[in-house]
Amino acid sequence: MRKKDKKAENDIIEVLTQACDEALSNIADFRWLTHELDYSNIKQSLTVRCIFDPDADLKALNSSPEGLALKHSIRDKLRSVGYLPGNNLSWIEFELDAPRGKRKSTASERKVH
């Protein structure tokens, strides 16, 4: 990993950890978040996945004030360190956590919190 890539990764992790901590305090069904990216094209490849309790209603969360606030918080925090993938927020995904022992993370996923 190049020095520039390591700095980008550290900046992204720092602001996503802040967003994660806020979400843990404000959204009952929120569990953690993760991100994926390609260092050669960070802004176009960055994806953030917000993981919620398996019993959460994702459709309601996506349009709820709390869900929208989480998406805006992630967007604003990434913008503050220069890594804003886009304003349409489609790069932020909400997913349900699999029941304990059922979820297999990929090698490219990095759990932030």
Side-chain angles (χ1 to χ4, degrees):
M1 182 181 289
R2 299 177 312 189
K3 195 174 193 176
K4 178 182 170 185
D5 297 339
K6 185 68 174 169
K7 176 163 179 15
E9 180 73 3
N10 288 339
D11 289 347
I12 291 168
I13 288 173
E14 182 178 338
V15 297
L16 289 180
T17 298
Q18 293 169 7
C20 185
D21 289 342
E22 291 171 10
L24 285 167
S25 297
N26 299 325
I27 303 173
D29 291 327
F30 180 81
R31 295 296 171 249
W32 51 278
L33 60 79
T34 186
H35 73 283
E36 295 178 15
L37 58 88
D38 175 359
Y39 291 110
S40 65
N41 196 0
I42 293 174
K43 289 183 180 180
Q44 280 68 43
S45 69
L46 181 62
T47 301
V48 177
R49 286 191 181 80
C50 300
I51 310 301
F52 294 87
D53 186 276
D55 297 323
D57 181 352
L58 283 186
K59 186 174 181 180
L61 276 166
N62 261 311
S63 58
S64 72
E66 294 86 3
L68 292 173
L70 174 57
K71 289 179 179 182
H72 290 146
S73 174
I74 291 168
R75 179 198 62 200
D76 294 344
K77 288 178 185 321
L78 286 167
R79 178 186 291 145
S80 75
V81 292
Y83 298 105
L84 181 63
N87 279 322
N88 68 8
L89 304 177
S90 64
W91 48 273
I92 302 173
E93 301 172 357
F94 286 4
E95 295 180 7
L96 295 178
D97 195 8
R100 209 175 277 289
K102 300 285 185 191
R103 187 175 193 287
K104 293 183 179 178
S105 60
T106 65
S108 63
E109 281 186 340
R110 180 181 210 116
K111 188 173 177 180
V112 173
H113 201 279

